[in-house]
Amino acid sequence: MDFHKFLYTISDALATADLMALKFLSLEHIPLRKQEGIRDPEALFLALEEKGMMEESNLSFLKELLFRINRIDLLTGKLCSSRAEMERELQIPGRAKVSPFRWVLLYHLAENITTDELKSLKFLLMKELPKCRLDNEITMINVFIEMEKKGLLAEDNLEALKTICEKIDKSLLKKIEEYELDQRGKMISAPVGRLFSSFSPTQADNTYKMTSRPRGICLILNNHNFERARSEVPKLKTIKDRNGTEADAVALRRVFSKLHFEIEEYRDLTAEQIRDTVHRYRAMDHHDKDCFVCCILSHGDKGIVFGTDGQEASIQELTTSFTGLNCPSLAGKPKVFFIQACQGDTFQKGVPIETDSAELDSSVEVDARFQLECIPDEADFLLGMATMKDFVSYRSTTQGTWYIQSLCNHLEESCPRGEDILSILTAVNLEVSKKNDRLNQGKQMPQPSFTLRKKLIFPIN
C-alpha cells in the first residue's frame, strides 16, 4: 500500500481526543505555532514527516505515539507491533522520542486528574489564564499548553504547577515530586560517558537552554536615511545619514544565521514604527524558542534612539517590552539587545601607549548621543552598548561600526569553541579599545550590562 494511503487509514481511525493527545506529545518536534493549523491526524503525520520523524522505512515514532495514547488496536492491527514489544523497545536508551516531562509527568497527570480537580485548577488559574476560565471543553492538556505559552510551566520550571496542585490535592503534588526524584535518580545512575556527553550538571544548572531550532528571532532595526529628520526637526538639521550601516546589517545577518536564529530585518523606521515593530514581536508566541535578540542601529540621544523622522523612541520602553509580565513566553529565557549608537558627544581620550599599528579608514563618523540605564530591573537581560555613557562611538562609512564588526567577528570565531557571551564581549572590549580616531585622538570602550543568571552560549551544532 502507498505510504500516505497507509497513514490515512490510521488517521481515519483516530478520534478528536486522540489527535489532541498526539499533538501534545509531539510538541518537542512540532512547535505550537505550527500545530495551530493542524486539524486532523493526517496533517500531523505530514508535519512529522517533514521534520524527519516519520518515514516509510522508520515508523518507530508513530509506534511510540500510538503506544503512549493506548491505541494498541492500531499498533497491532496496522503496524504489526504489540504492547510488550514497545515496552521492551522504549527501555533502550535513546529510543523514546517523547520527553519524560511531557509523557511521564504532564500526560499522566492529565489522564488521571478528576473532573472536580480540573475545575478547581482552572479556577485557581483564572487570573493568569483567562482563556481557561470554567469552560467545560477546556481539558487538562489545554491548561498545560496555556501554562507553557505563558511561561508558567517548563521542564525546569514546575513551581507554579506544584503550588496549585498542593492547594487542590496533595497527592497531585506527590506525583510531581516523585517525577522530580525519579529524574534526579536517572541522572545520578546514568553511565559516566552518557551523563557528560548529553546532560552535564554544568549545562543543566549554569547554562541557558539553547537547543531549539530556530534558537529564536534576531530582530534587526537598521536606520540609514535621516533626510526627513534633517528637514522636520531643527535641532537635527545637520544629522548625517548613517553610511556604512549596511555593512553592519550584513555581518549581523551572516553571524546570527549561522547561530540558527531566524532573521527579521526592518530598515529606515520612524520612531512610531520602531515602537510598533518591537511591540509586535513582544506579542508573538516565543514558546518554542530559547532566546530573543534585538539589534538597533541608529542615531540616538540620552535614553532614546531616533527614528528616521527625528522623533524619539525610549530605549527603556523597548527593552522592558520583553519582561516576563509583558512577554510571558520569553520568561526565564535570555533577552539580548545590541545597541549601536553614541551615548554622548564627548571624545574619549587615549593614554599614549606603544602599539604595533592601528590603520583605520579615514572616513570615520560618530553616531550621535545615547545613555545607559535602559536595561530592565529583571533577570535574563543582556544589553550590549557600543560605548560608555557620555562618549561617542565610531562608524566607518565603508566598513561599518567598530563595535558591531568586532562583535560579529568574535561571535563567528568564539561560538564554535563554546565560549559564553560575556567572555566574547570582553574580547570585543579589548579589540575596540585598541582602535584610534586619529582626527580627534579619540578612543572607544564598549560597555555590556546584564542581569543574566546563567552562562549564555550560542552553540553552532
Side-chain angles (χ1 to χ4, degrees):
M1 183 187 295
D2 176 78
F3 179 52
H4 291 108
K5 285 183 179 178
F6 170 69
L7 292 179
Y8 177 77
T9 62
I10 295 177
S11 171
D12 200 40
L14 293 167
T16 302
D18 293 329
L19 174 61
M20 181 185 295
L22 291 174
K23 289 169 68 174
F24 181 71
L25 294 174
S26 300
L27 272 172
E28 268 79 22
H29 309 287
I30 309 293
L32 191 61
R33 177 172 50 85
K34 294 188 177 179
Q35 285 198 13
E36 288 174 352
I38 294 176
R39 299 285 183 267
D40 56 69
E42 191 175 14
L44 176 64
F45 294 159
L46 290 174
L48 287 168
E49 187 180 4
E50 288 177 5
K51 283 284 188 177
M53 296 300 298
M54 196 175 293
E55 53 190 6
E56 191 169 6
S57 60
N58 184 5
L59 294 173
S60 59
F61 188 53
L62 177 58
K63 291 179 181 180
E64 180 183 354
L65 288 175
L66 294 176
F67 171 74
R68 300 295 193 200
I69 66 170
N70 204 32
R71 288 302 305 265
I72 308 303
D73 57 325
L74 294 176
L75 192 64
T76 56
K78 298 291 185 181
L79 293 164
C80 303
S81 187
S82 66
R83 184 190 299 275
E85 181 182 321
M86 290 308 302
E87 287 174 347
R88 289 194 302 271
E89 184 78 11
L90 294 173
Q91 291 297 316
I92 301 172
R95 290 293 174 88
K97 300 303 179 186
V98 179
S99 71
F101 165 66
R102 198 159 297 283
W103 158 244
V104 177
L105 179 61
L106 301 187
Y107 189 75
H108 276 155
L109 280 175
E111 286 289 286
N112 294 298
I113 197 167
T114 67
T115 303
D116 288 340
E117 288 170 342
L118 178 56
K119 284 182 180 179
S120 298
L121 190 141
K122 287 192 283 189
F123 179 78
L124 291 172
L125 283 169
M126 271 204 308
K127 186 177 179 181
E128 291 82 2
L129 306 177
K131 285 186 178 180
C132 291
R133 292 196 174 90
L134 292 177
D135 188 337
N136 290 331
E137 294 184 5
I138 298 294
T139 68
M140 192 67 223
I141 285 179
N142 295 135
V143 173
F144 285 150
I145 290 172
E146 288 300 314
M147 288 181 72
E148 289 188 87
K149 284 167 67 175
K150 294 289 186 180
L152 298 173
L153 177 64
E155 192 167 358
D156 58 353
N157 180 16
L158 299 175
E159 293 309 309
L161 182 61
K162 288 164 70 173
T163 300
I164 292 169
C165 286
E166 185 177 20
K167 293 177 181 177
I168 297 170
D169 187 336
K170 283 188 166 49
S171 67
L172 295 175
L173 174 63
K174 186 177 179 182
K175 289 176 183 177
I176 300 172
E177 291 174 339
E178 286 173 351
Y179 161 79
E180 290 179 312
L181 285 171
D182 183 60
Q183 292 305 112
R184 289 193 198 109
K186 286 180 179 177
M187 284 304 308
I188 292 169
S189 62
V192 172
R194 183 159 57 86
L195 179 65
F196 282 92
S197 64
S198 63
F199 195 87
S200 72
T202 300
Q203 289 173 320
D205 299 332
N206 300 329
T207 305
Y208 285 104
K209 176 178 174 291
M210 202 60 58
T211 58
S212 66
R213 291 290 186 98
R215 304 286 190 237
I217 290 171
C218 174
L219 177 63
I220 302 173
L221 307 182
N222 180 18
N223 280 351
H224 168 259
N225 186 347
F226 283 81
E227 181 179 357
R228 184 175 167 186
R230 288 192 293 273
S231 63
E232 295 182 3
V233 182
K235 70 175 182 178
L236 299 179
K237 62 183 180 182
T238 60
I239 197 169
K240 296 181 179 180
D241 290 342
R242 298 186 64 258
N243 296 325
T245 190
E246 183 56 29
D248 284 348
V250 167
L252 289 167
R253 289 196 300 269
R254 181 186 72 246
V255 171
F256 281 98
S257 293
K258 288 182 180 179
L259 297 178
H260 309 296
F261 279 80
E262 181 180 334
I263 309 299
E264 301 281 352
E265 182 178 358
Y266 297 83
R267 304 184 185 189
D268 291 335
L269 301 182
T270 65
E272 188 63 28
Q273 289 171 335
I274 290 173
R275 285 190 290 270
D276 289 346
T277 301
V278 167
H279 292 166
R280 189 163 69 250
Y281 281 86
R282 174 201 69 188
M284 286 183 179
D285 180 13
H286 301 269
H287 163 75
D288 57 334
K289 310 291 195 306
D290 288 335
C291 185
F292 176 78
V293 175
C294 179
C295 307
I296 301 177
L297 315 174
S298 191
H299 287 304
D301 207 328
K302 294 185 178 180
I304 59 94
V305 289
F306 285 123
T308 52
D309 57 348
Q311 299 305 308
E312 302 174 354
S314 164
I315 294 297
Q316 189 169 26
E317 178 188 343
L318 300 180
T319 57
T320 54
S321 293
F322 295 92
T323 61
L325 183 63
N326 293 324
C327 186
S329 61
L330 280 173
K333 303 175 184 180
K335 280 77 66 176
V336 179
F337 292 81
F338 293 115
I339 310 293
Q340 171 52 52
C342 295
Q343 296 186 62
D345 53 12
T346 304
F347 289 96
Q348 194 167 2
K349 299 300 180 181
V351 177
I353 56 173
E354 292 185 3
T355 180
D356 290 332
S357 70
E359 294 295 324
L360 292 174
D361 191 304
S362 60
S363 54
V364 173
E365 299 178 350
V366 299
D367 263 340
R369 305 174 183 174
F370 207 11
Q371 186 176 351
L372 196 56
E373 281 139 25
C374 298
I375 189 169
D377 185 18
E378 183 174 302
D380 308 308
F381 278 85
L382 169 65
L383 183 60
M385 307 295 292
T387 191
M388 297 176 67
K389 180 180 176 182
D390 296 327
F391 292 101
V392 300
S393 63
Y394 292 96
R395 170 174 35 83
S396 163
T397 56
T398 58
Q399 298 173 8
T401 59
W402 291 1
Y403 176 61
I404 295 296
Q405 292 299 316
S406 178
L407 172 69
C408 290
N409 289 339
H410 281 279
L411 285 170
E412 210 160 16
E413 291 173 6
S414 301
C415 286
R417 297 198 294 263
E419 291 190 30
D420 70 283
I421 190 67
L422 296 183
S423 298
I424 292 171
L425 290 177
T426 301
V428 171
N429 278 13
L430 177 62
E431 180 177 299
V432 173
S433 68
K434 289 182 177 180
K435 294 180 179 290
N436 291 288
D437 167 19
R438 290 176 293 182
L439 179 63
N440 296 290
Q441 297 183 345
K443 305 283 287 182
Q444 180 179 334
M445 174 58 74
Q447 185 178 39
S449 180
F450 63 94
T451 58
L452 299 178
R453 297 172 295 117
K454 305 178 183 181
K455 284 189 176 182
L456 176 55
I457 296 172
F458 295 125
I460 295 294
N461 297 315

